Amino acid sequence: MALQPCKILSLISPNQFLIQTQQQKTIVVGNGIPNFLMRNKLNINQKALDIYFQQFKFINKEASYIPKTNQLQINGAELQEDIPDETEIHLKLIGVQNEEPKQTQPVLDFIKQYRNKSLNAILVSFEENILNFLYNKDTLISLIPSAIYIDEFAIQDQGYSKLMQKEWLNKEFNITFKGTQIMTVNYQKNFIHFPILKADLYPTSQKSNELNNEFYSSLISNGYAFITDWGKLNLSQNSFELLFYNQEEAKKNNLGLWKNGELDRRMLNSVSSQIIGQIVEIIEANQYLIKTDKEILTIKLDRIFIEGLEAKEYARKLLIGKQVHILQVGDNMPLQTIQLCDNNLDIEEELIVNGWATAKENHPQLSKFKYQQFQQMNLLAKQKKIGQYSSELTWRIEDQTDQKQGKSVNEIIWSSIQRDKQSLKQSAMNTGITIKDDTQLEVLIDKILPNGQFVITILKYHSMVNFTIQGIAKLSEFATSFPNVIKYEEQRQQFSYKILMQRNAWINFESFNILENMFYGKIYEKKNNKDSDFTIQLLKEGLTFIKNNTDYYSKYEEAQKEAEKLKKGFWNESYAQFIIDFSQNKQTLKKQISNQGNIYKNENQQIQKVIVTAVNDCNEFYLRTEINPEFEELEIQIENAALIPLKKPVKKGTLCLARFSEDNRIYRAQVLQAFKNDKFLIKFIDYGNNDEVNYQDMGVLPAQFTNVPQQAKLCSLAYLRFPPSSHEFAEEASDLLRELLLDQQFNSKVAYTEKSSNRQFVTLQPQDKPDELQFTINKIALEQGLGRIDNRVLYNPFKEFKNCEIEAKANGIGIWGFDDCLDDEKQFEDEFDYYE
């Protein structure tokens, strides 16, 4: 067995060593554990971690290498150990693992607490230009150096990995946290701006930090890194001069990132200048997201200083939505800038000329000649007192989006909007002149949030507020029942981002919800142009559906039918019509802000044979069509279906299958409330009755069971008023009405419908009786004193039966046996009344 003398340089992972032979070759020995102590593998075998730290003592030791078995020995003892399967521990991470939004806040909280504070940690791995340090054996800290920048292009050279493994892996560093650097990635088709920690790094083995930083020097000398602007400003004079000398030598010798030379850099510039993209977001005044035909790029104009909301607003007006050329500038390495396509306007120069930016002195990619040009432009802007040098900066925006702090201010804004509308109407009445509706307010769309929400700035009030489009559905409401519907909500967010992000728009504000701190209304791309209503575009793309009846309903319905015909968006799903029908049937008897204009009369009162399936109380009951072969076939399929367990936690509103406790059969249902011990209150949506069921008696509602709409419709008897639930006669009236209706077959007519809830008010009459009001259940209820004639219905034909009400009143039948119904009609009203 041949043994080769060697020296152990570093430990890559447990049982995996970097060695140097007598021939000065570096070799990785042992299989080790892939991705050990990296951000994407935070669950670590406890024994493996223990062995890793035990094997630290072998670093810099002489050993014997056995090529045949790929093993190491010291004094005849093998160094590699068996790693048994043991309990895994989870390392804490200070950094971003998968660029998910939820991971960014801990980094920001950490830097607030530890800025300019120091700790010692061991360099255990590196991922491209991100360095991972292990602290206290239980925390992985990911960061980048602040004084130097490790170049992504240069580190593709294998020499970078060899240098890091040979010289710096397993070394202890003193880390002083300085801040964060924002990085931008496209995560799940959304753009996420997330922070990476920046820190000063010094090897603790280095005696003095004043003269030179050996770690920085090794990377810069080999062309793997360059000095950052922060480094130029904050390094000691001696340290900067030594690093700068190393950097110039690396340039001279064409090492690492400098190896292409000036000629190749200019050639690269000419090729890159052909890239064209559209600016889709202004991150900062000098940092932009640009969409090309292949990718989304983050471009930062790094050669200029620029900051402030006024500067960002100037850049937004100048650039958002515009086509630009992406250019490479500088003599030494690629650095990007942009020009407008329509007039070749150089944006760096434009920002400086207008007083919003200044050039960075001694920037490595800014020649002396160009710097002097920029300085001359800046001097002229100062003389003209424009941009940041103006004494009249007016871009003042107050953030009122906070749930607690913004409410009071937003109430005042809403009152002001209402006053303006009222003044416009009053002026028209006083003058007799029809004034063009000019109540739309100009806004800036600041953010496109999930669930159809926006953050907007109302320019008139200098306020940033929360906003939601009125009258259309959020498909995410159905995600618990149909999980893949969420992709259409994401498409809606992307579509809105493309059309509206950081654009000026016009909004007709319709309401303000103080509990949500949310404004509601309609967004228009053009002022006083109903055809530019953004709701129409969303409907045409199949990314939402109409939720409420509105004045512009016909246009919305036309757009929705177009999407349905073309199977666009969620209309491509088999359950699309089902969730629309279900949404329209979600009626409630909560207090409404309604009046006589909230109902519409059904002129075409067709007879329909129905059966009453549930009676909740005297104000509401459920009925469905008596004969429906399609539904009967569906029920047979559902009864034979297996219950697939619902994903926990089961949320309120989830559509599902459930087993009815009385007949042990399976029906379609919706979760109304969750209790302890995995019990749930559910409503059977095809019958209207409720039941309490166990989790194991519930299951997923498959899409193939949604081809038939919800059958049960919530109704009330037309033309009558019944006692509210708070009335002492309410329970008895409900029982009497239940005896008249439940499980009975009737001929039904819809007399009128409530617009806001789509609730139907019907007449019911036995199927063996003539089609006349005098034979209806409605009249029987009147005669039995269960209710009284509703005088608020202007076209109430039951007024001809006034004598029945008078007779019941005289005999003290039903409600008339209670004092509060005898004289004052207003005493009969309560919070559940639907009309003023």
Side-chain angles (χ1 to χ4, degrees):
M1 183 183 299
L3 300 177
Q4 296 184 14
C6 65
K7 183 179 180 180
I8 298 175
L9 301 178
S10 64
L11 181 64
I12 299 172
S13 72
N15 293 333
Q16 190 175 37
F17 303 85
L18 182 72
I19 67 169
Q20 187 175 51
T21 67
Q22 287 184 328
Q23 292 77 31
Q24 302 301 307
K25 289 184 178 180
T26 54
I27 302 173
V28 175
V29 179
N31 295 324
I33 299 175
N35 300 323
F36 187 71
L37 295 178
M38 290 191 180
R39 293 174 299 156
N40 63 350
K41 194 173 182 180
L42 297 176
N43 290 328
I44 303 293
N45 182 307
Q46 177 67 67
K47 184 63 176 177
L49 191 61
D50 292 341
I51 291 174
Y52 178 73
F53 283 106
Q54 290 169 13
Q55 292 177 339
F56 261 40
K57 63 186 178 183
F58 301 131
I59 297 172
N60 293 325
K61 294 290 180 66
E62 300 295 330
S64 298
Y65 170 49
I66 309 172
K68 188 173 182 179
T69 59
N70 196 27
Q71 290 180 323
L72 288 176
Q73 291 182 355
I74 292 181
N75 297 327
E78 292 185 0
L79 303 189
Q80 285 93 336
E81 299 183 37
D82 291 334
I83 302 177
D85 290 335
E86 286 196 2
T87 304
E88 289 187 338
I89 62 169
H90 184 77
L91 297 179
K92 291 180 284 188
L93 174 68
I94 306 300
V96 177
Q97 181 180 14
N98 294 315
E99 288 80 45
E100 294 180 4
K102 65 182 181 181
Q103 295 190 19
T104 63
Q105 192 58 46
V107 177
L108 299 176
D109 294 341
F110 179 86
I111 197 61
K112 285 180 182 178
Q113 183 178 358
Y114 286 94
R115 188 186 297 274
N116 293 323
K117 294 182 180 180
S118 301
L119 55 81
N120 291 348
I122 298 171
L123 179 64
V124 291
S125 64
F126 50 92
E127 303 171 63
E128 295 183 342
N129 61 352
I130 295 177
L131 309 178
N132 297 319
F133 294 83
L134 191 62
Y135 174 66
N136 262 0
K137 296 186 179 181
D138 66 355
T139 303
L140 197 68
I141 302 176
S142 293
L143 53 80
I144 58 175
S146 54
I148 66 171
Y149 185 78
I150 303 173
D151 183 70
E152 296 97 332
F153 170 77
I155 63 179
Q156 295 175 14
D157 190 331
Q158 292 182 355
Y160 170 73
S161 295
K162 289 182 179 179
L163 173 68
M164 292 294 290
Q165 290 175 347
K166 181 179 178 180
E167 301 290 340
W168 301 113
L169 200 62
N170 315 134
K171 299 297 190 296
E172 185 180 62
F173 283 76
N174 179 264
I175 304 172
T176 303
F177 299 98
K178 292 299 182 182
T180 61
Q181 176 171 312
I182 300 299
M183 298 182 68
T184 302
V185 296
N186 188 352
Y187 175 70
Q188 294 183 353
K189 300 181 180 179
N190 291 311
F191 300 109
I192 309 297
H193 313 300
F194 66 92
I196 289 288
L197 289 173
K198 295 177 69 173
D200 275 348
L201 304 173
Y202 288 98
T204 56
S205 60
Q206 186 176 332
K207 293 182 179 180
S208 172
N209 298 332
E210 291 300 319
L211 294 179
N212 191 19
N213 185 308
E214 294 173 0
F215 174 64
Y216 294 164
S217 182
S218 68
L219 293 175
I220 287 179
S221 297
N222 287 279
Y224 298 133
F226 60 88
I227 308 170
T228 64
D229 291 327
W230 191 96
K232 294 171 186 175
L233 295 173
N234 292 277
L235 288 169
S236 68
Q237 184 66 26
N238 290 335
S239 183
F240 172 73
E241 288 178 357
L242 285 169
L243 288 178
F244 185 74
Y245 173 79
N246 292 334
Q247 182 169 290
E248 292 302 304
E249 286 296 305
K251 288 182 186 180
K252 187 187 301 182
N253 296 317
N254 294 327
L255 298 179
L257 65 96
W258 316 110
K259 69 181 180 181
N260 285 332
E262 289 190 16
L263 180 61
D264 288 340
R265 289 294 175 189
R266 293 195 183 106
M267 291 175 63
L268 178 63
N269 293 350
S270 65
V271 173
S272 300
S273 64
Q274 303 306 311
I275 300 176
I276 295 178
Q278 181 188 32
I279 294 191
V280 293
E281 184 176 345
I282 311 296
I283 302 170
E284 296 295 344
N286 66 332
Q287 188 174 11
Y288 322 115
L289 284 184
I290 302 180
K291 186 177 187 300
T292 70
D293 57 351
K294 295 181 180 179
E295 59 185 336
I296 300 289
L297 299 174
T298 302
I299 303 298
K300 184 174 183 180
L301 308 183
D302 196 53
R303 303 193 300 179
I304 57 176
F305 282 117
I306 185 170
E307 59 182 9
L309 288 176
E310 290 89 355
K312 183 178 179 180
E313 174 61 9
Y314 179 84
R316 183 193 70 83
K317 289 181 177 179
L318 177 68
L319 296 173
I320 194 69
K322 300 289 182 64
Q323 294 287 323
V324 294
H325 293 290
I326 302 173
L327 308 173
Q328 299 284 5
V329 296
D331 298 325
N332 298 319
M333 61 169 293
L335 183 73
Q336 292 163 318
T337 187
I338 56 174
Q339 289 183 351
L340 288 177
C341 288
D342 55 358
N343 57 9
N344 290 325
L345 185 68
D346 185 286
I347 303 307
E348 283 182 321
E349 293 183 1
E350 183 68 10
L351 292 171
I352 293 174
V353 163
N354 286 278
W356 297 112
T358 55
K360 292 181 180 179
E361 190 175 4
N362 296 323
H363 192 283
Q365 284 77 51
L366 187 61
S367 67
K368 289 184 179 179
F369 174 75
K370 192 66 176 178
Y371 175 75
Q372 290 171 356
Q373 276 189 319
F374 283 169
Q375 284 293 87
Q376 187 63 33
M377 295 173 185
N378 186 53
L379 182 61
L380 291 174
K382 282 183 179 180
Q383 293 172 352
K384 294 179 181 178
K385 296 182 179 180
I386 57 177
Q388 62 182 316
Y389 307 113
S390 170
S391 59
E392 300 177 357
L393 296 178
T394 59
W395 189 253
R396 175 180 52 82
I397 301 299
E398 298 292 336
D399 188 346
Q400 309 298 348
T401 58
D402 183 79
Q403 188 71 11
K404 294 181 180 179
Q405 298 178 1
K407 288 182 179 180
S408 56
V409 175
N410 288 339
E411 271 195 295
I412 297 173
I413 292 174
W414 174 237
S415 298
S416 179
I417 292 172
Q418 289 180 303
R419 280 198 304 272
D420 290 345
K421 288 184 177 182
Q422 191 61 37
S423 297
L424 199 65
K425 290 180 181 178
Q426 190 64 44
S427 177
M429 291 175 61
N430 293 340
T431 61
I433 301 173
T434 302
I435 300 176
K436 187 177 181 180
D437 184 7
D438 195 24
T439 57
Q440 293 177 356
L441 293 177
E442 187 177 9
V443 303
L444 170 61
I445 310 294
D446 292 287
K447 296 178 184 177
I448 315 289
L449 302 177
N451 298 329
Q453 296 181 4
F454 301 82
V455 173
I456 63 171
T457 295
I458 308 177
L459 300 182
K460 179 178 179 179
Y461 299 106
H462 302 279
S463 292
M464 186 181 293
V465 302
N466 301 310
F467 178 81
T468 297
I469 297 177
Q470 183 99 321
I472 55 176
K474 300 175 183 178
L475 296 178
S476 56
E477 294 175 2
F478 301 92
T480 54
S481 308
F482 307 104
N484 75 329
V485 79
I486 203 70
K487 70 181 181 183
Y488 300 110
E489 193 69 61
E490 291 170 355
Q491 288 177 18
R492 171 175 170 176
Q493 186 180 2
Q494 293 161 26
F495 182 76
S496 301
Y497 180 94
K498 178 183 176 182
I499 304 297
L500 296 177
M501 181 61 184
Q502 293 184 332
R503 304 300 208 283
N504 287 77
W506 298 86
I507 287 184
N508 183 17
F509 290 91
E510 297 177 0
S511 63
F512 172 65
N513 187 317
I514 189 170
L515 295 178
E516 300 173 351
N517 194 27
M518 182 73 66
F519 285 91
Y520 289 85
K522 298 289 192 310
I523 297 178
Y524 299 89
E525 293 182 66
K526 299 177 182 178
K527 186 178 181 181
N528 295 329
N529 185 335
K530 285 192 172 183
D531 290 335
S532 69
D533 187 343
F534 188 63
T535 300
I536 296 176
Q537 295 196 51
L538 292 175
L539 291 168
K540 283 184 176 180
E541 294 297 320
L543 301 177
T544 185
F545 60 86
I546 309 167
K547 197 172 182 180
N548 300 93
N549 203 340
T550 68
D551 295 336
Y552 211 41
Y553 183 83
S554 59
K555 281 282 187 181
Y556 291 165
E557 189 175 38
E558 183 182 325
Q560 182 166 294
K561 286 181 177 178
E562 179 182 327
E564 180 182 6
K565 181 180 179 181
L566 298 175
K567 296 290 183 185
K568 298 190 75 173
F570 88 107
W571 287 105
N572 195 42
E573 303 292 343
S574 59
Y575 54 73
Q577 189 60 53
F578 176 80
I579 64 175
I580 290 179
D581 292 337
F582 180 81
S583 179
Q584 291 176 346
N585 285 326
K586 278 173 61 181
Q587 302 145 335
T588 174
L589 287 182
K590 292 180 181 178
K591 185 177 181 180
Q592 306 286 327
I593 337 172
S594 308
N595 50 35
Q596 184 64 32
N598 188 41
I599 68 171
Y600 60 90
K601 186 177 180 181
N602 186 13
E603 302 294 347
N604 185 19
Q605 297 185 18
Q606 295 183 345
I607 296 176
Q608 190 174 26
K609 295 186 180 298
V610 299
I611 181 171
V612 176
T613 55
V615 179
N616 291 350
D617 55 39
C618 52
N619 278 293
E620 61 178 50
F621 57 86
Y622 286 89
L623 55 78
R624 65 177 179 83
T625 305
E626 182 183 342
I627 300 174
N628 187 338
E630 191 178 11
F631 173 65
E632 292 167 4
E633 175 63 28
L634 176 65
E635 283 210 306
I636 294 172
Q637 296 176 28
I638 292 175
E639 187 176 355
N640 296 324
L643 289 177
I644 302 170
L646 289 165
K647 183 179 178 181
K648 290 186 176 182
V650 180
K651 297 180 180 179
K652 178 182 177 181
T654 299
L655 292 164
C656 60
L657 295 178
R659 195 182 302 278
F660 186 31
S661 58
E662 292 187 16
D663 62 11
N664 210 35
R665 293 175 62 184
I666 298 174
Y667 302 93
R668 298 191 295 186
Q670 184 187 31
V671 177
L672 299 180
Q673 189 175 354
F675 303 115
K676 294 181 180 179
N677 303 323
D678 272 352
K679 290 185 178 294
F680 299 87
L681 178 65
I682 56 99
K683 178 182 289 295
F684 294 105
I685 63 174
D686 296 312
Y687 291 87
N689 58 312
N690 298 346
D691 196 11
E692 185 176 316
V693 299
N694 296 314
Y695 172 77
Q696 58 266 30
D697 290 324
M698 301 164 64
V700 172
L701 176 62
Q704 66 264 30
F705 294 158
T706 62
N707 57 345
V708 177
Q710 171 190 356
Q711 294 297 293
K713 293 187 180 296
L714 181 60
C715 300
S716 296
L717 288 178
Y719 308 126
L720 300 176
R721 299 175 69 189
F722 293 92
S725 58
S726 58
H727 196 279
E728 53 188 312
F729 179 62
E731 186 173 348
E732 183 180 348
S734 300
D735 291 338
L736 292 172
L737 194 64
R738 197 171 284 114
E739 292 178 11
L740 289 172
L741 299 181
L742 191 59
D743 296 330
Q744 301 298 311
Q745 297 172 338
F746 298 99
N747 289 337
S748 172
K749 285 183 180 180
V750 179
Y752 48 91
T753 303
E754 186 179 51
K755 292 180 184 180
S756 59
S757 68
N758 207 36
R759 186 168 65 117
Q760 296 178 343
F761 291 79
V762 300
T763 59
L764 298 175
Q765 61 187 55
Q767 294 180 359
D768 59 349
K769 296 292 184 180
D771 179 21
E772 297 178 18
L773 286 177
Q774 61 178 318
F775 298 112
T776 60
I777 294 295
N778 307 53
K779 182 171 178 288
I780 293 173
L782 181 66
E783 292 171 339
Q784 294 185 5
L786 304 184
R788 61 184 298 176
I789 296 172
D790 191 347
N791 293 317
R792 299 163 301 179
V793 179
L794 299 181
Y795 42 82
N796 194 336
F798 260 55
K799 290 180 180 179
E800 66 177 277
F801 301 125
K802 184 69 176 178
N803 61 317
C804 296
E805 181 178 282
I806 294 172
E807 185 176 345
K809 182 177 181 180
N811 294 324
I813 298 175
I815 56 173
W816 304 109
F818 298 86
D819 292 340
D820 60 356
C821 291
L822 294 180
D823 300 314
D824 189 356
E825 186 170 306
K826 287 188 177 181
Q827 291 180 10
F828 191 57
E829 299 176 5
D830 85 331
E831 62 179 351
F832 292 96
D833 281 343
Y834 278 82
Y835 308 89
E836 292 179 345

